[in-house]
Amino acid sequence: MKKCLLFFAFLCVNFTYGQIKETFSDPNLNESPQWSGNLSAFRVNSSQQLQTAKSDSSKSVYLVTESKAATNASWQFFVQLNFSPSAANYARVYLISDKKDLNDELHGYFLQIGENGSKDSYDLFKQDGEKEELLIDGKESRAAGSKVAAWIKVTRTADGHWTLYSRNEGESSYTSEGEVTDPHPFVNSACFGLRCTYTKSRSDQFTFDDITVGPFADDNPVPLPDTPGNTGISQIGPGDILISEILFNPRKDGADFLEIYNNTGHAIDVSALSLAIIKKDSLTSIKPVSKTAYGLAPHSYLVLTTNPDNIKSEYRTENPEAFLKMTSMPAFNDDAGTVVLLADSTRIDQLTYSAKMHFALIRNPEGVSLERVSFSRPTSDPGNFRSAAGTAGFATPGYQNSQLVTEGETTEEISLSSNTFSPDNDGFEDALMIHYHFAEGGKVANIWVFNDRGIRVRYLCKNETLGQSGTITWDGLNDDNNRPPLGIYVVYIEIFDLAGHVKKYRKPCVLAAKL
């Protein structure tokens, strides 16, 4: 038994020793992970990215950190060069090196950005002492231009097969740069490292971020197809990813969050997404969701925030893995605003929120999120976002919304979600859903609510134009925004069209409460 445990412990140490996850959120380069090399030649900038420092001469500087990852491994990172790379100004990312000094004669593999001529590409090299061999010659001009900004992904299988992908800034999917099997491979590694060769004028214009090194099987949160054009990394369209929940007025010292939902049947790489807000009718404060590939499984939730630890400490967390830390987010106003979800430049969802959308009987909405009620209704439908239930802790980050309603199909033109509802914000039948479905659109609705004595308590809908199908919500309050007495009510609905056709419906319901 002791031998088995010792062997298991040895495997665990070997497994974790090859792991690197560096976001440079901590300016200290001496821990988690520990970097060595030309430390004074690098700094962590205000955007929490690694950047080269200004130099008064041409140099070749490097940083390394311990890494045993060599086979069945994945390397992902973001790199930015604020200039046109060349043979005098270029970057190398050493995936595998048997030495800590990257300026020495070593054995390993590196990705290079920068070469002679104007057709710069992302290229994978093998280094054997002084000899350098090109293994993958990336697509011409992919790294050309006055600036390079790209997310790079390299994998190596257990049998030594290399693949290289890149996604330039502004692109929604990865491009295959090539693949190769090295017939005489190096299979041992001591370090992962970054090396920057520059002239004086380019010395401080190299940036790196979001470095992940680990087992090939775990290089994405969920499996994503590596072939461009497959559903995992294809173009994202409206309705594919939806806004599911928003916390725009957190408690004191709390953090905002936006929850999104994969409304498709396949995994989606959310690194193509950005968040923005609208000010004076213009998009502003556009922030990328992730700089590296990040898979969101079908029909799954993902919480976007700059402080996942804060959200997890404030609210119940059923799925701690459903959080993605963003470097920065748009600032959400505490009273009202509009948040936009972008896939490249395409708006795929948009929510205009307001504190007035909260449950009217909540005395203090601070720290209460707004949750989506239905993924089949338009985001902007009145009543489709409601206060998260108090029984759920006033937010459900990363898992099914407390106010979510599953809408079944019906053959009726007008139907109610339930004949009984209790607007107490407990997450169960908190609102009355009035569903409509017509053979054709172009209808107009008037809706009133009367008590059992025939007295009107709410003019719910006045000359409201309708789509072919949809939902109208009664929150259980009267015209004075107060809750009327418990009892039986009648929803009186009048539907007409421009041709003069009129239909009337009476739907009884019960306004109830817990005993």
Side-chain angles (χ1 to χ4, degrees):
M1 175 63 73
K2 288 182 179 179
K3 290 182 180 180
C4 291
L5 290 175
L6 181 62
F7 179 67
F8 178 73
F10 173 75
L11 286 178
C12 290
V13 170
N14 253 357
F15 180 79
T16 57
Y17 196 60
Q19 305 276 327
I20 299 173
K21 191 168 183 66
E22 176 66 278
T23 61
F24 300 104
S25 57
D26 184 351
N28 187 358
L29 296 176
N30 292 319
E31 56 186 30
S32 300
Q34 182 178 9
W35 295 88
S36 60
N38 305 123
L39 290 172
S40 62
F42 294 85
R43 65 184 181 88
V44 176
N45 62 26
S46 60
S47 298
Q48 296 184 328
Q49 297 175 316
L50 183 70
Q51 185 176 345
T52 48
K54 190 73 174 176
S55 174
D56 57 3
S57 62
S58 300
K59 291 181 181 179
S60 182
V61 298
Y62 67 89
L63 286 181
V64 293
T65 188
E66 289 183 309
S67 172
K68 298 294 185 183
T71 62
N72 196 32
S74 169
W75 299 262
Q76 297 185 58
F77 54 88
F78 172 76
V79 58
Q80 180 171 312
L81 311 179
N82 292 325
F83 56 85
S84 178
S86 66
N89 291 281
Y90 61 90
R92 284 185 176 181
V93 177
Y94 277 81
L95 312 175
I96 295 172
S97 174
D98 67 342
K99 292 185 177 181
K100 291 185 176 181
D101 187 348
L102 299 186
N103 288 324
D104 199 355
E105 296 179 6
L106 57 85
H107 300 87
Y109 299 87
F110 63 85
L111 182 97
Q112 179 163 315
I113 308 170
E115 57 189 282
N116 282 320
S118 59
K119 297 181 179 180
D120 296 272
S121 55
Y122 305 111
D123 302 323
L124 180 67
F125 285 83
K126 175 182 180 182
Q127 182 171 342
D128 184 0
E130 292 184 336
K131 180 183 177 182
E132 296 175 357
E133 178 186 358
L134 178 63
L135 296 182
I136 296 178
D137 186 6
K139 297 182 182 298
E140 286 188 356
S141 303
R142 288 278 296 159
S146 59
K147 171 187 171 182
V148 177
W151 292 264
I152 305 296
K153 175 181 176 182
V154 186
T155 63
R156 189 188 192 187
T157 60
D159 60 359
H161 188 75
W162 291 91
T163 58
L164 170 59
Y165 298 92
S166 70
R167 182 170 70 83
N168 284 337
E169 189 174 51
E171 296 177 345
S172 61
S173 61
Y174 278 82
T175 293
S176 174
E177 300 289 348
E179 53 187 292
V180 69
T181 299
D182 182 6
H184 305 290
F186 298 134
V187 294
N188 295 310
S189 178
C191 299
F192 169 90
L194 310 167
R195 196 182 102 178
C196 303
T197 300
Y198 52 67
T199 58
K200 176 181 176 180
S201 62
R202 307 298 189 195
S203 59
D204 61 345
Q205 298 181 32
F206 295 72
T207 302
F208 303 90
D209 201 2
D210 294 323
I211 298 170
T212 302
V213 180
F216 176 50
D218 294 330
D219 62 338
N220 282 312
V222 297
L224 288 175
D226 286 332
T227 305
N230 282 2
T231 55
I233 49 179
S234 61
Q235 185 176 358
I236 304 171
D240 291 346
I241 301 288
L242 296 174
I243 295 172
S244 172
E245 185 175 356
I246 184 171
L247 179 66
F248 56 87
N249 184 14
R251 302 181 183 114
K252 185 179 180 181
D253 300 324
D256 293 340
F257 76 76
L258 186 81
E259 181 187 77
I260 58 177
Y261 176 76
N262 183 350
N263 198 38
T264 74
H266 55 79
I268 288 181
D269 181 3
V270 300
S271 62
L273 301 178
S274 298
L275 298 184
I277 56 176
I278 292 181
K279 286 186 177 180
K280 297 180 179 179
D281 298 325
S282 299
L283 282 177
T284 186
S285 192
I286 301 175
K287 305 293 183 181
V289 165
S290 174
K291 294 178 181 178
T292 58
Y294 195 105
L296 179 57
H299 308 297
S300 297
Y301 300 86
L302 182 65
V303 180
L304 309 176
T305 179
T306 59
N307 195 340
D309 291 339
N310 174 269
I311 304 301
K312 292 176 184 179
S313 67
E314 291 277 339
Y315 302 99
R316 186 169 76 234
T317 304
E318 293 191 3
N319 184 7
E321 301 301 317
F323 288 76
L324 178 58
K325 182 177 182 179
M326 293 179 60
T327 303
S328 62
M329 285 180 66
F332 298 156
N333 291 334
D334 288 349
D335 53 350
T338 299
V339 59
V340 180
L341 188 60
L342 300 167
D344 294 330
S345 59
T346 301
R347 298 191 193 192
I348 60 171
D349 203 10
Q350 177 173 315
L351 171 65
T352 297
Y353 63 86
S354 167
K356 295 179 180 179
M357 296 165 66
H358 277 298
F359 183 53
L361 301 183
I362 292 179
R363 294 182 179 180
N364 181 11
E366 189 175 89
V368 182
S369 74
L370 288 176
E371 294 181 329
R372 191 178 190 122
V373 173
S374 170
F375 291 111
S376 62
R377 293 166 55 188
T379 303
S380 58
D381 256 17
N384 201 22
F385 275 81
R386 295 178 51 82
S387 300
T391 53
F394 295 109
T396 54
Y399 61 101
Q400 181 174 297
N401 295 344
S402 61
Q403 298 291 3
L404 187 68
V405 173
T406 302
E407 299 170 2
E409 294 184 1
T410 178
T411 57
E412 293 183 89
E413 291 184 326
I414 301 291
S415 62
L416 303 182
S417 57
S418 173
N419 290 328
T420 303
F421 74 111
S422 53
D424 51 12
N425 206 47
D426 67 348
F428 178 71
E429 295 183 345
D430 282 331
L432 185 71
M433 306 293 181
I434 306 165
H435 304 303
Y436 62 87
H437 181 81
F438 302 108
E440 56 186 20
K443 309 290 185 182
V444 180
N446 285 299
I447 302 178
W448 301 267
V449 180
F450 296 91
N451 63 18
D452 57 354
R453 293 176 294 165
I455 299 173
R456 191 189 84 191
V457 297
R458 183 73 178 268
Y459 197 163
L460 187 61
C461 194
K462 184 177 182 179
N463 294 330
E464 183 85 18
T465 57
L466 306 178
Q468 188 171 349
S469 61
T471 302
I472 297 168
T473 303
W474 181 32
D475 57 9
L477 303 180
N478 60 23
D479 286 332
D480 296 325
N481 218 31
N482 296 316
R483 185 163 59 186
L486 305 180
I488 298 173
Y489 290 83
V490 175
V491 182
Y492 181 72
I493 305 157
E494 181 183 79
I495 304 294
F496 63 93
D497 58 27
L498 295 180
H501 302 121
V502 180
K503 277 191 175 183
K504 299 177 181 180
Y505 308 81
R506 290 174 177 83
K507 296 290 182 178
C509 65
V510 175
L511 179 61
K514 291 181 180 178
L515 296 177

